[in-house]
Amino acid sequence: MSPQRTAPKDFVSLADWPADALRRILDRAHELKRLYHRGDPPQTLRGRTLAMYFEKPSLRTHVTFEAGMTQLGGHAILLRPEQVGIGTRETAADVARNLSRWVHGIVARTYDHSLVEELAAAAAIPVINGLTDLLHPCQAMADLQTITERADLARSVVAYVGDGNNVASSLLNAISVLGGELRLATPRTHLPAPHVRKRAAELAARSGARIVWTDDPVEAVRGAHFVYTDVWTSMGQEEEAEQRKAVFEPFQVNARLLSHAPEAWILHCLPAHRGEEITSDALDGPRSIVFDQAENRLHAQKAILEALLGCARA
Ligand code: CP
Ligand code: NVA
């Protein structure tokens, strides 16, 4: 029997988190959503400050972390790379050590995943991954909240169609830890990183999750309860955009593909490139729940913040 794992200090990869701790965060996310709509958000982060370091653009992650801190009685500070100068003014470790003396947590959105790991290793305070080239764990928590608003995860079939990118990799981690069925339809050339797949296989063997790999979108979506896609060109890959359009063209989520999954709910992390990975009729149609998913970034992250920055750790 494997020893009981405790919740880590940081929220960098869902693959590091025990299932029971993630379930507690999800339960709390549902509760925080109810409290928000009742106009009664708890003041669980009063006096706490979050530093938000963003190397890449963001609408959802930036606004939901900042609004989430405000709602829970805390405060957030946005830091731009040109202001901080990691690697030019000072080292990542020294930035982390300084912030640890002033604030209670750091959210970092970076290109290199190793930079978030470096910040986490040097910081005495929790570091939350706000998206890297490799992973997007906060997105996956909002995805799980959105799925579990409509279905029991353990009995759900989630089909992810498109690029095996950061969003796909964190969804893979999430379902591998918590259970359920994930079918990933990607070109063979654009799978998640080998070490992510290997770890997911180990986690799935433990949780009983079923992970299905295919390069056939129809096979992935047939009978699925949820169909999820993300952009073909992620932030930082803009120079490859034209080449990527050609590779991913058969992976578009459109009416033809969805005719094989007429009952499926449509997920997209947003921003969407309408007419590329998804057509507007699918994104705006009656089965789309993408704006519930966007709203849930707020509640899922408040639950993550409480777990990491609040008095009671998950
Ligand atoms: N889904 C998501 O992370 O959106 P932003 O890039 O706008 O933060
Ligand atoms: N895969 C996308 C997700 C954006 C939220 C990117 O990294 O740009």
Side-chain angles (χ1 to χ4, degrees):
M1 223 164 83
S2 56
Q4 185 82 20
R5 291 191 304 149
T6 55
K9 170 178 81 73
D10 307 295
F11 203 79
V12 171
S13 168
L14 295 178
D16 300 336
W17 275 71
D20 59 345
L22 291 183
R23 279 196 194 98
R24 279 200 296 276
I25 292 176
L26 264 183
D27 288 348
R28 181 62 174 162
H30 288 296
E31 191 180 3
L32 286 167
K33 186 171 185 175
R34 284 191 291 274
L35 293 170
Y36 174 77
H37 286 287
R38 253 181 23 203
D40 188 21
Q43 299 299 287
T44 39
L45 295 181
R46 187 178 299 140
R48 310 244 152 189
T49 305
L50 178 72
M52 304 183 296
Y53 174 77
F54 280 79
E55 286 184 345
K56 297 179 179 182
S58 172
L59 173 68
R60 280 147 288 271
T61 309
H62 172 192
V63 174
T64 52
F65 268 113
E66 186 158 342
M69 284 301 291
T70 305
Q71 286 169 23
L72 298 181
H75 177 64
I77 301 172
L78 180 67
L79 299 171
R80 288 281 172 203
E82 61 275 15
Q83 186 189 0
V84 181
I86 291 181
T88 51
R89 281 192 91 229
E90 57 193 316
T91 65
D94 282 351
V95 169
R97 291 184 192 112
N98 277 273
L99 289 172
S100 300
R101 298 296 181 105
W102 308 318
V103 302
H104 304 92
I106 302 170
V107 171
R109 168 169 289 197
T110 64
Y111 289 90
D112 283 345
H113 186 73
S114 61
L115 176 52
V116 172
E117 291 180 328
E118 209 181 326
L119 290 167
I125 54 177
V127 172
I128 299 171
N129 178 354
L131 179 148
T132 65
D133 287 348
L134 188 71
L135 297 173
H136 197 1
C138 296
Q139 179 67 54
M141 291 304 283
D143 301 341
L144 290 178
Q145 184 175 0
T146 312
I147 289 168
T148 53
E149 280 175 339
R150 283 170 182 76
D152 176 0
L153 182 64
R155 294 162 185 269
S156 294
V157 176
V158 181
Y160 177 94
V161 178
D163 188 14
N165 60 15
N166 43 13
V167 166
S169 296
S170 282
L171 187 67
L172 171 62
N173 279 339
I175 293 181
S176 298
V177 172
L178 290 172
E181 178 169 335
L182 177 64
R183 302 179 190 159
L184 290 119
T186 69
R188 284 174 202 193
T189 46
H190 292 78
L191 289 160
H195 72 279
V196 172
R197 282 184 277 144
K198 180 169 178 287
R199 177 82 178 121
E202 291 163 6
L203 292 165
R206 196 182 307 164
S207 70
R210 190 169 135 77
I211 309 296
V212 178
W213 301 95
T214 176
D215 59 2
D216 178 358
V218 173
E219 183 191 333
V221 307
R222 195 173 280 131
H225 303 105
F226 298 88
V227 173
Y228 195 151
T229 191
D230 182 20
V231 292
W232 296 337
T233 299
S234 285
M235 292 179 278
Q237 299 173 332
E238 289 76 8
E239 283 181 4
E240 300 169 22
E242 285 312 308
Q243 176 210 332
R244 285 175 164 270
K245 270 185 210 167
V247 172
F248 286 107
E249 196 264 336
F251 292 82
Q252 186 185 66
V253 172
N254 54 29
R256 188 157 31 93
L257 182 63
L258 293 172
S259 69
H260 299 280
E263 302 293 311
W265 297 106
I266 311 302
L267 296 164
H268 191 307
C269 60
L270 303 177
H273 294 169
R274 290 168 179 263
E276 290 188 23
E277 77 277 1
I278 190 164
T279 53
S280 282
D281 58 324
L283 196 68
D284 300 331
R287 304 300 294 175
S288 172
I289 51 173
V290 300
F291 295 106
D292 289 348
Q293 195 182 354
E295 176 182 338
N296 289 339
R297 296 296 304 279
L298 175 66
H299 309 300
Q301 285 159 203
K302 283 187 291 189
I304 294 167
L305 288 165
E306 277 191 349
L308 270 75
L309 275 62
C311 297
R313 292 270 307 279

Short mmCIF file of all heavy atoms in Angstrom, two decimals, residues 56-57 60-61 109 131-133 136 139 160 163 165-168 230-238 269-271 297, ligand 2:
data_model
loop_
_atom_site.label_atom_id
_atom_site.label_comp_id
_atom_site.label_asym_id
_atom_site.label_seq_id
_atom_site.Cartn_x
_atom_site.Cartn_y
_atom_site.Cartn_z
N LYS A 56 3.03 36.23 -20.00
CA LYS A 56 2.20 36.10 -21.20
C LYS A 56 0.90 36.85 -20.97
O LYS A 56 0.52 37.09 -19.82
CB LYS A 56 1.85 34.62 -21.44
CG LYS A 56 3.02 33.72 -21.71
CD LYS A 56 2.51 32.28 -21.90
CE LYS A 56 3.62 31.33 -22.20
NZ LYS A 56 3.15 29.95 -22.44
N PRO A 57 0.15 37.16 -22.05
CA PRO A 57 -1.14 37.81 -21.88
C PRO A 57 -2.12 36.95 -21.09
O PRO A 57 -1.96 35.72 -21.02
CB PRO A 57 -1.67 37.99 -23.31
CG PRO A 57 -0.51 37.74 -24.20
CD PRO A 57 0.45 36.89 -23.46
N ARG A 60 -8.68 35.83 -18.35
CA ARG A 60 -9.35 35.05 -17.32
C ARG A 60 -8.49 34.84 -16.06
O ARG A 60 -8.95 35.06 -14.94
CB ARG A 60 -9.77 33.67 -17.88
CG ARG A 60 -11.03 33.71 -18.71
CD ARG A 60 -10.98 32.69 -19.83
NE ARG A 60 -10.04 33.16 -20.81
CZ ARG A 60 -10.35 33.96 -21.83
NH1 ARG A 60 -11.59 34.29 -22.04
NH2 ARG A 60 -9.42 34.41 -22.68
N THR A 61 -7.26 34.40 -16.25
CA THR A 61 -6.44 34.04 -15.09
C THR A 61 -6.13 35.27 -14.25
O THR A 61 -6.23 35.24 -13.02
CB THR A 61 -5.15 33.34 -15.57
OG1 THR A 61 -5.52 32.30 -16.47
CG2 THR A 61 -4.36 32.78 -14.41
N ARG A 109 2.67 33.01 -14.39
CA ARG A 109 2.42 32.52 -15.76
C ARG A 109 3.69 32.76 -16.55
O ARG A 109 4.08 33.91 -16.76
CB ARG A 109 1.23 33.26 -16.39
CG ARG A 109 1.12 33.01 -17.88
CD ARG A 109 -0.16 33.50 -18.49
NE ARG A 109 -1.30 32.68 -18.09
CZ ARG A 109 -2.47 32.67 -18.72
NH1 ARG A 109 -2.69 33.46 -19.77
NH2 ARG A 109 -3.45 31.90 -18.30
N LEU A 131 -0.26 29.00 -15.62
CA LEU A 131 -0.04 28.49 -16.99
C LEU A 131 1.44 28.59 -17.34
O LEU A 131 2.07 29.63 -17.15
CB LEU A 131 -0.86 29.25 -18.05
CG LEU A 131 -0.72 28.84 -19.53
CD1 LEU A 131 -2.03 29.05 -20.30
CD2 LEU A 131 0.42 29.58 -20.23
N THR A 132 1.95 27.47 -17.83
CA THR A 132 3.28 27.44 -18.44
C THR A 132 3.13 26.78 -19.80
O THR A 132 2.04 26.29 -20.15
CB THR A 132 4.28 26.62 -17.60
OG1 THR A 132 3.83 25.24 -17.59
CG2 THR A 132 4.37 27.13 -16.17
N ASP A 133 4.24 26.72 -20.55
CA ASP A 133 4.18 26.00 -21.83
C ASP A 133 3.77 24.54 -21.62
O ASP A 133 3.24 23.91 -22.53
CB ASP A 133 5.55 26.03 -22.53
CG ASP A 133 5.87 27.42 -23.09
OD1 ASP A 133 4.97 28.27 -23.15
OD2 ASP A 133 7.04 27.64 -23.47
N HIS A 136 -1.39 23.73 -17.21
CA HIS A 136 -2.33 24.79 -16.80
C HIS A 136 -3.28 24.21 -15.74
O HIS A 136 -4.47 24.00 -15.99
CB HIS A 136 -3.10 25.28 -18.03
CG HIS A 136 -3.79 26.59 -17.86
ND1 HIS A 136 -3.73 27.33 -16.70
CD2 HIS A 136 -4.59 27.31 -18.71
CE1 HIS A 136 -4.44 28.44 -16.85
NE2 HIS A 136 -4.96 28.45 -18.06
N GLN A 139 -6.71 25.88 -14.72
CA GLN A 139 -7.75 25.65 -15.74
C GLN A 139 -8.41 24.30 -15.52
O GLN A 139 -9.64 24.17 -15.56
CB GLN A 139 -7.11 25.71 -17.14
CG GLN A 139 -8.09 25.47 -18.26
CD GLN A 139 -9.12 26.58 -18.39
OE1 GLN A 139 -8.75 27.74 -18.49
NE2 GLN A 139 -10.39 26.24 -18.35
N TYR A 160 -11.14 15.01 -25.44
CA TYR A 160 -10.35 16.22 -25.75
C TYR A 160 -9.84 16.04 -27.18
O TYR A 160 -9.20 15.03 -27.50
CB TYR A 160 -9.19 16.38 -24.77
CG TYR A 160 -8.33 17.58 -25.13
CD1 TYR A 160 -8.56 18.82 -24.55
CD2 TYR A 160 -7.33 17.47 -26.10
CE1 TYR A 160 -7.81 19.93 -24.92
CE2 TYR A 160 -6.57 18.58 -26.46
CZ TYR A 160 -6.82 19.80 -25.87
OH TYR A 160 -6.08 20.90 -26.25
N ASP A 163 -4.79 19.84 -29.89
CA ASP A 163 -3.35 19.85 -29.57
C ASP A 163 -3.11 19.26 -28.17
O ASP A 163 -3.81 19.63 -27.22
CB ASP A 163 -2.86 21.31 -29.63
CG ASP A 163 -1.36 21.43 -29.50
OD1 ASP A 163 -0.66 20.41 -29.64
OD2 ASP A 163 -0.87 22.56 -29.27
N ASN A 165 -1.51 19.99 -25.65
CA ASN A 165 -0.78 21.14 -25.10
C ASN A 165 -0.90 21.20 -23.57
O ASN A 165 -1.27 20.23 -22.91
CB ASN A 165 -1.30 22.43 -25.76
CG ASN A 165 -2.78 22.64 -25.52
OD1 ASN A 165 -3.38 22.00 -24.64
ND2 ASN A 165 -3.39 23.52 -26.28
N ASN A 166 -0.62 22.38 -23.01
CA ASN A 166 -0.67 22.59 -21.56
C ASN A 166 -2.06 22.28 -20.98
O ASN A 166 -2.17 21.68 -19.91
CB ASN A 166 -0.24 24.03 -21.22
CG ASN A 166 -0.83 25.10 -22.15
OD1 ASN A 166 -1.75 24.82 -22.92
ND2 ASN A 166 -0.30 26.31 -22.06
N VAL A 167 -3.11 22.71 -21.69
CA VAL A 167 -4.48 22.49 -21.20
C VAL A 167 -4.81 20.99 -21.23
O VAL A 167 -5.33 20.43 -20.26
CB VAL A 167 -5.48 23.32 -22.05
CG1 VAL A 167 -6.91 22.88 -21.81
CG2 VAL A 167 -5.30 24.80 -21.72
N ALA A 168 -4.45 20.33 -22.33
CA ALA A 168 -4.69 18.87 -22.44
C ALA A 168 -3.89 18.13 -21.37
O ALA A 168 -4.39 17.17 -20.76
CB ALA A 168 -4.29 18.39 -23.83
N ASP A 230 -9.09 23.17 -27.48
CA ASP A 230 -8.30 24.38 -27.18
C ASP A 230 -7.63 24.80 -28.48
O ASP A 230 -7.61 24.05 -29.47
CB ASP A 230 -7.26 24.07 -26.07
CG ASP A 230 -6.44 25.30 -25.68
OD1 ASP A 230 -6.88 26.44 -25.94
OD2 ASP A 230 -5.34 25.11 -25.12
N VAL A 231 -7.04 25.99 -28.46
CA VAL A 231 -6.39 26.53 -29.66
C VAL A 231 -5.34 25.58 -30.22
O VAL A 231 -4.74 24.79 -29.48
CB VAL A 231 -5.73 27.90 -29.36
CG1 VAL A 231 -6.77 28.96 -29.07
CG2 VAL A 231 -4.71 27.80 -28.21
N TRP A 232 -5.11 25.69 -31.53
CA TRP A 232 -4.06 24.89 -32.18
C TRP A 232 -2.70 25.57 -32.02
O TRP A 232 -1.67 24.91 -32.13
CB TRP A 232 -4.39 24.72 -33.67
CG TRP A 232 -5.64 23.95 -33.92
CD1 TRP A 232 -6.24 23.06 -33.07
CD2 TRP A 232 -6.45 23.97 -35.10
NE1 TRP A 232 -7.37 22.53 -33.66
CE2 TRP A 232 -7.52 23.08 -34.91
CE3 TRP A 232 -6.37 24.67 -36.31
CZ2 TRP A 232 -8.50 22.85 -35.87
CZ3 TRP A 232 -7.35 24.45 -37.28
CH2 TRP A 232 -8.40 23.55 -37.06
N THR A 233 -2.72 26.89 -31.84
CA THR A 233 -1.47 27.65 -31.67
C THR A 233 -1.50 28.33 -30.32
O THR A 233 -2.26 29.28 -30.12
CB THR A 233 -1.34 28.70 -32.80
OG1 THR A 233 -1.31 28.02 -34.06
CG2 THR A 233 -0.08 29.53 -32.64
N SER A 234 -0.71 27.84 -29.40
CA SER A 234 -0.68 28.42 -28.05
C SER A 234 0.23 29.64 -28.03
O SER A 234 1.03 29.87 -28.94
CB SER A 234 -0.18 27.37 -27.06
OG SER A 234 -1.19 26.43 -26.80
N MET A 235 0.11 30.40 -26.94
CA MET A 235 0.95 31.59 -26.77
C MET A 235 2.42 31.19 -26.83
O MET A 235 2.85 30.26 -26.13
CB MET A 235 0.64 32.26 -25.43
CG MET A 235 -0.75 32.87 -25.38
SD MET A 235 -1.13 33.63 -23.78
CE MET A 235 -1.61 32.21 -22.81
N GLY A 236 3.17 31.88 -27.68
CA GLY A 236 4.58 31.55 -27.86
C GLY A 236 4.85 30.73 -29.11
O GLY A 236 5.99 30.55 -29.51
N GLN A 237 3.78 30.20 -29.74
CA GLN A 237 3.96 29.36 -30.93
C GLN A 237 3.50 30.06 -32.21
O GLN A 237 3.29 29.41 -33.24
CB GLN A 237 3.15 28.06 -30.77
CG GLN A 237 3.57 27.22 -29.58
CD GLN A 237 2.65 26.05 -29.34
OE1 GLN A 237 1.46 26.09 -29.68
NE2 GLN A 237 3.19 25.00 -28.76
N GLU A 238 3.32 31.38 -32.13
CA GLU A 238 2.69 32.12 -33.22
C GLU A 238 3.37 31.90 -34.57
O GLU A 238 2.71 31.86 -35.61
CB GLU A 238 2.63 33.62 -32.89
CG GLU A 238 1.62 34.00 -31.79
CD GLU A 238 2.08 33.66 -30.36
OE1 GLU A 238 3.25 33.27 -30.18
OE2 GLU A 238 1.27 33.80 -29.42
N CYS A 269 -11.34 26.22 -23.02
CA CYS A 269 -10.77 27.03 -21.94
C CYS A 269 -10.81 28.52 -22.26
O CYS A 269 -10.74 29.34 -21.34
CB CYS A 269 -9.33 26.60 -21.66
SG CYS A 269 -8.26 26.77 -23.09
N LEU A 270 -10.90 28.87 -23.55
CA LEU A 270 -10.88 30.26 -24.02
C LEU A 270 -9.52 30.90 -23.73
O LEU A 270 -8.93 30.59 -22.71
CB LEU A 270 -12.02 31.08 -23.43
CG LEU A 270 -13.43 30.53 -23.68
CD1 LEU A 270 -14.46 31.42 -22.96
CD2 LEU A 270 -13.75 30.43 -25.17
N PRO A 271 -9.00 31.80 -24.56
CA PRO A 271 -9.67 32.36 -25.72
C PRO A 271 -9.79 31.35 -26.87
O PRO A 271 -8.92 30.49 -27.02
CB PRO A 271 -8.75 33.52 -26.13
CG PRO A 271 -7.39 33.11 -25.65
CD PRO A 271 -7.62 32.33 -24.40
N ARG A 297 -13.44 29.50 -13.26
CA ARG A 297 -12.05 29.86 -12.94
C ARG A 297 -12.02 30.64 -11.62
O ARG A 297 -11.14 30.45 -10.79
CB ARG A 297 -11.45 30.72 -14.06
CG ARG A 297 -11.30 30.05 -15.41
CD ARG A 297 -10.33 28.91 -15.38
NE ARG A 297 -9.03 29.32 -14.88
CZ ARG A 297 -8.08 29.93 -15.60
NH1 ARG A 297 -8.28 30.15 -16.89
NH2 ARG A 297 -6.92 30.27 -15.06
N1 NVA B 2 -3.06 26.48 -24.81
C1 NVA B 2 -3.35 27.89 -24.66
C2 NVA B 2 -4.20 28.11 -23.47
C3 NVA B 2 -4.58 29.54 -23.21
C4 NVA B 2 -5.39 29.70 -21.96
C5 NVA B 2 -2.05 28.70 -24.58
O1 NVA B 2 -1.14 28.25 -23.89
O2 NVA B 2 -1.97 29.76 -25.21
#
